[in-house]
Amino acid sequence: MANVLWLQGGACSGNTMSFLNAEEPTVVELITDFGLNILWHPTTGLQIGDQVQDLLKDILDGKVQMDILVYEGSLIQGPNGTGTMNYFADRPMMDWIKELSEVAGYVVAIGDCATWGGIPAVPPNPSESTGLQFHKKAKGGFLGADYVSKGGLPVINIPGCPAHPDWITQILVAIAVGRIGDVLIDEYHRPKTFFTNFVQDGCTNVTNFAQKVDGGFGRRGGCLFYEVGCRGPMTRASCNNILWNRQSSKTRTNHPCLGCTEPGFPHNDLQKGSVFKTMKYLGFLPKEVPTGRTKLAYYMEAGFQKVMPKNSRIMEASK
């Protein structure tokens, strides 16, 4: 059995709701089939008020074992490093996290806010928000670059806004059954199982991307990368392979990928006009090109494809 404590920090509850909608496995299956004992959860926890504080104190005193500390939401350090903008159980949340992380078997950060600060960390960042072990792309965050849990791992990051529910439950299962050592993590501490391939993999518009056919927001046909800021070609996530609700994804409904599993999210620091628009040089050259490609090579290929005849049958079928 693995005891799980789930805490929620600043400006976030979407990952809690996402978790409760997991399907493979479901939350019920986590408990009945995989032996997870949820000590407390913001939505399902039975304890309230002083009872929560007593539970946290018992964990710190060693009376209750905590195998997994799950944290969602930005870690708020403001104002002036006091953390008093985010109180929980009669103390700044950051004080609880600091102490609980020292006794946790493993620490799992859920969602962009917990992993790298997310939207609250966009400058000027008045709340002094950060992630548990990253601030944007910089390793460090609240717990520091050298932090490792009692289980010997750094913070395990499951980003997303929100994170896919099955990414969450499957990592919790891996820890519960003693197989987390088999899960490889990348340089941003993301499990490679879910964050190796790009969102573009499995996208129904991928042929239009290859043929450099422009698309538009909310309408069928064409690739959203060229005009409306789709970040599918440079965002590592399995959204088009493990579909949301087993049904669809943003790009499958012709909504641009926002790149929410990457540490740069929100990209361009929410600069006006940057969310649903491809940022360009000289009005026609994308400022960012697919990961792994040089800009010169990509621009040359794109120019060549633009003048090539298009496969009209494929274009028609994608509408």
Side-chain angles (χ1 to χ4, degrees):
M1 178 177 288
N3 290 338
V4 181
L5 176 70
W6 185 305
L7 295 182
Q8 187 180 94
C12 193
S13 62
N15 295 287
T16 289
M17 296 298 102
S18 180
F19 170 67
L20 296 176
N21 282 281
E23 295 184 54
E24 291 187 6
T26 66
V27 174
V28 172
E29 289 169 342
L30 280 178
I31 298 169
T32 60
D33 297 346
F34 296 100
L36 258 71
N37 176 37
I38 300 179
L39 296 172
W40 195 78
H41 181 276
T43 300
T44 64
L46 297 178
Q47 300 92 332
I48 59 174
D50 291 342
Q51 296 170 331
V52 179
Q53 191 172 11
D54 291 342
L55 170 64
L56 299 180
K57 289 179 179 178
D58 285 345
I59 292 172
L60 294 177
D61 291 340
K63 298 177 182 178
V64 176
Q65 179 174 315
M66 179 184 59
D67 301 294
I68 308 171
L69 171 61
V70 175
Y71 184 75
E72 71 167 319
S74 58
L75 200 298
I76 294 177
Q77 302 173 97
N80 303 316
T82 64
T84 54
M85 291 179 72
N86 181 200
Y87 257 78
F88 178 76
D90 207 34
R91 296 178 69 195
M93 176 64 86
M94 75 174 197
D95 292 347
W96 285 118
I97 295 301
K98 180 65 175 177
E99 295 179 10
L100 289 167
S101 66
E102 295 173 357
V103 301
Y106 297 93
V107 177
V108 181
I110 306 293
D112 284 294
C113 293
T115 51
W116 11 83
I119 293 175
V122 171
N125 191 7
S127 60
E128 300 171 34
S129 290
T130 189
L132 286 190
Q133 204 167 15
F134 281 85
H135 184 83
K136 298 289 189 176
K137 296 182 179 181
K139 193 172 182 180
F142 176 68
L143 295 178
D146 297 328
Y147 170 80
V148 292
S149 65
K150 290 175 65 177
L153 291 180
V155 175
I156 301 168
N157 286 330
I158 306 179
C161 194
H164 193 294
D166 294 348
W167 301 342
I168 302 170
T169 55
Q170 289 180 34
I171 291 303
L172 294 182
V173 165
I175 297 174
V177 301
R179 299 297 299 273
I180 191 61
D182 297 334
V183 177
L184 301 178
I185 60 175
D186 67 13
E187 68 270 29
Y188 296 117
H189 300 177
R190 299 173 297 190
K192 289 187 176 182
T193 304
F194 307 118
F195 303 101
T196 295
N197 295 329
F198 293 96
V199 170
Q200 186 183 51
D201 299 339
C203 176
T204 50
N205 285 327
V206 70
T207 302
N208 288 318
F209 170 79
Q211 294 190 343
K212 306 297 179 285
V213 179
D214 296 342
F217 180 65
R219 73 169 189 261
R220 295 290 179 184
C223 178
L224 304 174
F225 171 69
Y226 302 108
E227 299 298 332
V228 290
C230 181
R231 303 188 65 86
M234 47 272 220
T235 299
R236 297 186 186 275
S238 53
C239 297
N240 277 314
N241 295 310
I242 304 176
L243 298 179
W244 288 78
N245 298 321
R246 294 296 178 271
Q247 296 294 321
S248 192
S249 69
K250 277 189 174 71
T251 63
R252 291 189 178 207
T253 59
N254 273 58
H255 188 291
C257 167
L258 299 179
C260 74
T261 59
E262 292 295 326
F265 179 83
H267 302 278
N268 306 304
D269 286 335
L270 296 178
Q271 178 183 331
K272 185 177 181 180
S274 69
V275 178
F276 295 125
K277 183 178 180 181
T278 300
M279 306 297 281
K280 296 180 179 180
Y281 293 119
L282 305 176
F284 69 99
L285 297 173
K287 285 187 177 181
E288 295 182 75
V289 301
T291 301
R293 307 294 301 279
T294 66
K295 288 187 176 181
L296 179 59
Y298 182 77
Y299 293 154
M300 291 176 64
E301 177 192 332
F304 176 75
Q305 289 289 348
K306 283 285 187 181
V307 299
M308 285 291 289
K310 306 302 184 225
N311 188 323
S312 57
R313 184 165 59 180
I314 292 177
M315 291 175 64
E316 186 65 27
S318 70
K319 292 181 179 179

Coordinates of all heavy atoms in Angstrom, one line a residue, residues 135-166:
H135 N 11.9 26.8 -12.5 CA 11.2 28.1 -12.7 C 11.4 28.4 -14.2 O 12.4 28.7 -14.7 CB 11.8 29.3 -11.9 CG 11.1 30.6 -12.1 ND1 10.0 30.9 -11.4 CD2 11.3 31.6 -12.9 CE1 9.5 32.1 -11.7 NE2 10.3 32.5 -12.7
K136 N 10.2 28.2 -14.9 CA 10.3 28.2 -16.4 C 11.3 27.1 -16.8 O 11.2 25.9 -16.3 CB 10.7 29.5 -17.0 CG 9.7 30.7 -16.6 CD 8.5 30.5 -17.4 CE 7.6 31.8 -17.3 NZ 6.4 31.7 -18.1
K137 N 12.3 27.4 -17.6 CA 13.2 26.4 -18.1 C 14.4 26.2 -17.1 O 15.2 25.3 -17.3 CB 13.7 26.7 -19.5 CG 12.7 26.7 -20.5 CD 13.3 27.0 -21.9 CE 12.2 27.0 -23.0 NZ 12.7 27.2 -24.3
A138 N 14.5 27.0 -16.1 CA 15.7 27.0 -15.2 C 15.5 26.1 -14.1 O 14.5 26.1 -13.4 CB 16.0 28.4 -14.7
K139 N 16.4 25.1 -13.9 CA 16.3 24.2 -12.8 C 16.6 24.9 -11.5 O 17.5 25.7 -11.4 CB 17.3 23.0 -13.0 CG 17.0 21.9 -12.1 CD 17.9 20.7 -12.5 CE 17.6 19.5 -11.6 NZ 18.4 18.3 -11.9
G140 N 15.8 24.6 -10.5 CA 16.0 25.2 -9.2 C 14.6 25.3 -8.5 O 14.3 24.5 -7.6
G141 N 13.8 26.3 -8.9 CA 12.5 26.4 -8.3 C 12.5 26.5 -6.8 O 13.5 27.0 -6.2
F142 N 11.5 26.1 -6.1 CA 11.4 26.2 -4.7 C 12.3 25.3 -3.9 O 13.0 25.7 -3.0 CB 9.9 26.1 -4.2 CG 9.7 26.1 -2.8 CD1 9.9 27.3 -2.1 CD2 9.4 25.0 -2.0 CE1 9.8 27.4 -0.7 CE2 9.2 25.1 -0.6 CZ 9.4 26.3 0.0
L143 N 12.3 24.0 -4.3 CA 13.1 23.0 -3.6 C 14.6 23.0 -3.9 O 15.3 22.4 -3.2 CB 12.5 21.6 -3.8 CG 11.0 21.4 -3.3 CD1 10.5 20.0 -3.6 CD2 11.0 21.7 -1.8
G144 N 14.9 23.6 -5.0 CA 16.3 23.7 -5.4 C 16.7 22.6 -6.4 O 16.1 21.5 -6.4
A145 N 17.8 22.9 -7.1 CA 18.2 22.0 -8.2 C 18.7 20.7 -7.7 O 18.6 19.7 -8.4 CB 19.3 22.7 -9.0
D146 N 19.2 20.6 -6.5 CA 19.8 19.4 -6.0 C 18.8 18.5 -5.2 O 19.2 17.5 -4.6 CB 21.0 19.7 -5.1 CG 22.1 20.4 -5.9 OD1 22.2 20.1 -7.1 OD2 22.8 21.2 -5.3
Y147 N 17.6 18.9 -5.1 CA 16.6 18.2 -4.2 C 16.4 16.8 -4.8 O 16.2 16.6 -6.0 CB 15.3 18.9 -4.2 CG 14.2 18.0 -3.5 CD1 14.1 17.9 -2.1 CD2 13.3 17.3 -4.3 CE1 13.2 17.0 -1.5 CE2 12.4 16.4 -3.7 CZ 12.3 16.3 -2.3 OH 11.4 15.5 -1.8
V148 N 16.4 15.8 -3.9 CA 15.9 14.4 -4.2 C 15.1 13.9 -3.0 O 15.4 14.3 -1.9 CB 17.1 13.4 -4.5 CG1 17.8 13.8 -5.8 CG2 18.1 13.4 -3.3
S149 N 14.1 13.2 -3.3 CA 13.2 12.6 -2.3 C 13.9 11.5 -1.6 O 15.0 11.0 -2.0 CB 11.9 12.2 -2.9 OG 12.1 11.1 -3.8
K150 N 13.2 10.9 -0.6 CA 13.8 9.8 0.2 C 13.9 8.6 -0.8 O 14.7 7.7 -0.6 CB 12.9 9.5 1.4 CG 13.0 10.5 2.5 CD 12.0 10.2 3.6 CE 12.3 8.9 4.3 NZ 11.4 8.6 5.4
G151 N 13.1 8.5 -1.8 CA 13.1 7.4 -2.8 C 14.3 7.6 -3.8 O 14.5 6.7 -4.6
G152 N 15.0 8.7 -3.7 CA 16.2 8.9 -4.5 C 15.9 9.6 -5.8 O 16.9 9.6 -6.7
L153 N 14.7 10.1 -6.1 CA 14.4 10.8 -7.3 C 14.2 12.3 -7.1 O 13.7 12.7 -6.0 CB 13.2 10.2 -8.0 CG 13.4 8.8 -8.6 CD1 12.0 8.3 -9.2 CD2 14.5 8.7 -9.6
P154 N 14.5 13.1 -8.1 CA 14.0 14.5 -8.0 C 12.5 14.6 -8.1 O 11.8 13.6 -8.2 CB 14.7 15.2 -9.2 CG 14.8 14.0 -10.2 CD 15.1 12.8 -9.4
V155 N 12.0 15.8 -8.1 CA 10.5 15.9 -8.3 C 10.2 15.4 -9.7 O 10.8 15.7 -10.7 CB 10.2 17.4 -8.2 CG1 8.7 17.6 -8.6 CG2 10.5 18.0 -6.9
I156 N 9.2 14.5 -9.7 CA 8.6 14.0 -11.0 C 7.6 14.9 -11.5 O 6.6 15.2 -10.9 CB 8.0 12.6 -10.7 CG1 9.1 11.6 -10.1 CG2 7.5 12.0 -12.0 CD1 8.5 10.3 -9.6
N157 N 7.9 15.5 -12.7 CA 7.0 16.5 -13.2 C 6.0 15.9 -14.2 O 6.4 15.3 -15.2 CB 7.8 17.6 -13.9 CG 8.5 18.5 -13.0 OD1 8.0 18.7 -11.8 ND2 9.7 19.1 -13.3
I158 N 4.7 16.2 -14.0 CA 3.7 15.8 -15.0 C 3.0 17.1 -15.4 O 2.0 17.5 -14.8 CB 2.7 14.8 -14.4 CG1 3.4 13.6 -13.8 CG2 1.7 14.4 -15.4 CD1 2.6 12.6 -13.2
P159 N 3.5 17.8 -16.4 CA 3.0 19.1 -16.8 C 1.7 19.0 -17.6 O 1.2 17.9 -17.9 CB 4.1 19.8 -17.6 CG 4.7 18.6 -18.2 CD 4.7 17.5 -17.2
G160 N 1.1 20.2 -17.9 CA -0.2 20.3 -18.6 C -1.1 21.3 -17.9 O -0.9 21.5 -16.7
C161 N -2.0 21.8 -18.7 CA -2.9 22.8 -18.1 C -4.3 22.5 -18.6 O -4.8 23.2 -19.4 CB -2.4 24.2 -18.6 SG -3.2 25.6 -17.7
P162 N -4.9 21.5 -17.9 CA -4.4 20.6 -16.9 C -3.6 19.4 -17.5 O -3.6 19.2 -18.7 CB -5.6 20.1 -16.2 CG -6.6 20.0 -17.3 CD -6.4 21.1 -18.2
A163 N -3.0 18.6 -16.6 CA -2.3 17.4 -17.0 C -3.4 16.4 -17.3 O -4.5 16.3 -16.7 CB -1.4 16.9 -15.9
H164 N -3.1 15.5 -18.3 CA -4.0 14.4 -18.7 C -4.2 13.5 -17.5 O -3.2 13.1 -16.8 CB -3.4 13.7 -19.9 CG -4.4 12.7 -20.5 ND1 -4.9 11.6 -19.9 CD2 -5.0 12.8 -21.8 CE1 -5.8 11.0 -20.7 NE2 -5.8 11.7 -21.9
P165 N -5.4 13.1 -17.2 CA -5.6 12.3 -16.0 C -4.9 11.0 -16.0 O -4.4 10.5 -14.9 CB -7.2 12.1 -15.9 CG -7.6 12.4 -17.3 CD -6.7 13.4 -17.8
D166 N -4.8 10.3 -17.1 CA -4.1 9.0 -17.2 C -2.6 9.1 -17.0 O -2.0 8.2 -16.6 CB -4.5 8.3 -18.5 CG -6.0 7.9 -18.5 OD1 -6.6 8.1 -17.5 OD2 -6.4 7.5 -19.6

